[in-house]
Amino acid sequence: MRRQQWVAEVGPENAAFLATRSRTAVLASEYRPRDLGDGRVGYDERSLGAARELSEEEEGAITDDGDGLRVWVGDDAFELEEEG
């Protein structure tokens, strides 16, 4: 069975930041976003849940509203697309 995953095109710098230096990057591996290469970052159910716990002011915060599911880095929002 394939795991559910959400992917955002955030650029190489942001993908590396989210996977290695954001607040969720210090959690156990199953709760961290993954740098998928080519400027993409991936979240599974656990890492998405952990990122949802961040406050809106924190890098890597997740919002889910009328504009869709998005991850924030600074003032930039990147749409997360569901895969799998």
Side-chain angles (χ1 to χ4, degrees):
M1 175 192 270
R2 188 172 167 169
R3 294 178 73 179
Q4 196 169 16
Q5 175 172 258
W6 292 264
V7 175
E9 299 273 348
V10 298
E13 278 186 34
N14 289 335
F17 170 79
L18 291 167
T20 62
R21 297 185 312 277
S22 67
R23 195 162 77 102
T24 54
V26 300
L27 300 174
S29 63
E30 62 265 23
Y31 297 104
R32 296 180 202 154
R34 290 167 318 287
D35 185 342
L36 302 175
D38 297 324
R40 299 172 19 171
V41 66
Y43 293 82
D44 64 11
E45 293 166 349
R46 287 183 177 174
S47 58
L48 185 66
R52 286 179 186 261
E53 297 295 320
L54 298 174
S55 72
E56 290 183 14
E57 294 81 30
E58 291 182 88
E59 301 291 342
I62 302 289
T63 58
D64 189 3
D65 53 28
D67 293 323
L69 186 62
R70 299 180 295 169
V71 58
W72 290 82
V73 180
D75 292 331
D76 297 318
F78 302 94
E79 188 170 340
L80 284 157
E81 302 276 335
E82 188 172 355
E83 295 182 353

